[in-house]
Amino acid sequence: MPLTPSRESAPSVRRTTTDDPLARPLLDGLAHEYTTRYGSAHELSRCPAEEFAPPHGAFLLLLEQDVPVAGGAYRRHDEHTAELKRIWTHSAHRRRGLARRVLAVLEREAAARGYSRVYLTTRPCQPEARGLYLASGYRPLFDVSADPETIGPLPFEKFLENPKP
């Protein structure tokens, strides 16, 4: 089924697991993206699926007409920190603010679970991800004036507000 952008209504949020068949297209697309950019999708098998499940983690999809268009996850990094992973938007749906929406939902849910900080890394060959995190209030934990290719993974953090009861 072809995926075409729809601006009729906001995508719905589905909290699920990485082994949900509905997540397969998103994860396959992410694997293709990693393989294209890095030569390998090994990163996707580095974290067991249970790390992205409650109570310490979460995995979500944004759906339009029951088709995944974006998604992301977090897992426990330490007692106070959630680590964001798997943030991805299908190529046919980019430039619509969907990744920002995924970030916002993950941040709210992490704060509601008691995390006060989120942490993530991206790689130099994902400049659009770097731009997204900077534009979304994430603080770079690296020298932004340095050549990103000399740094390796680019770490970011953001402190979360406690959710209102």
Side-chain angles (χ1 to χ4, degrees), residues 145-158:
S145 65
D147 175 3
E149 294 294 333
T150 65
I151 298 171
L154 307 176
F156 291 86
E157 72 176 353
K158 184 175 185 179

Side-chain angles (χ1 to χ4, degrees), residues 39-63:
S40 166
H42 173 70
E43 165 64 23
L44 290 174
S45 62
R46 201 172 59 88
C47 305
E50 57 270 10
E51 290 187 12
F52 301 114
H56 300 296
F59 180 78
L60 66 88
L61 300 171
L62 293 187
L63 304 176

Side-chain angles (χ1 to χ4, degrees), residues 43 81 94 99:
E43 165 64 23
T81 307
R94 293 184 180 158

Side-chain angles (χ1 to χ4, degrees), residues 38 77-78 81-85 87 103 107 116-146 148 151-160:
Y38 305 123
H77 184 69
D78 65 38
T81 307
E83 181 182 13
L84 301 184
K85 305 289 283 178
I87 311 285
L103 284 177
E107 290 168 7
S116 58
R117 175 181 174 255
V118 288
Y119 170 83
L120 62 88
T121 60
T122 190
R123 304 286 299 185
C125 56
Q126 288 183 278
E128 59 283 301
R130 180 180 187 246
L132 168 68
Y133 302 132
L134 289 170
S136 299
Y138 284 76
R139 183 173 74 93
L141 301 175
F142 59 92
D143 181 356
V144 293
S145 65
I151 298 171
L154 307 176
F156 291 86
E157 72 176 353
K158 184 175 185 179
F159 289 91
L160 302 172

Side-chain angles (χ1 to χ4, degrees), residues 69-101:
V69 295
Y74 71 81
R75 66 183 185 150
R76 181 185 174 110
H77 184 69
D78 65 38
E79 182 181 350
H80 304 286
T81 307
E83 181 182 13
L84 301 184
K85 305 289 283 178
R86 316 282 189 266
I87 311 285
W88 191 75
T89 302
H90 185 283
S91 60
H93 297 275
R94 293 184 180 158
R95 311 285 311 159
R96 297 178 47 208
L98 298 175
R100 279 185 197 238
R101 179 146 183 239

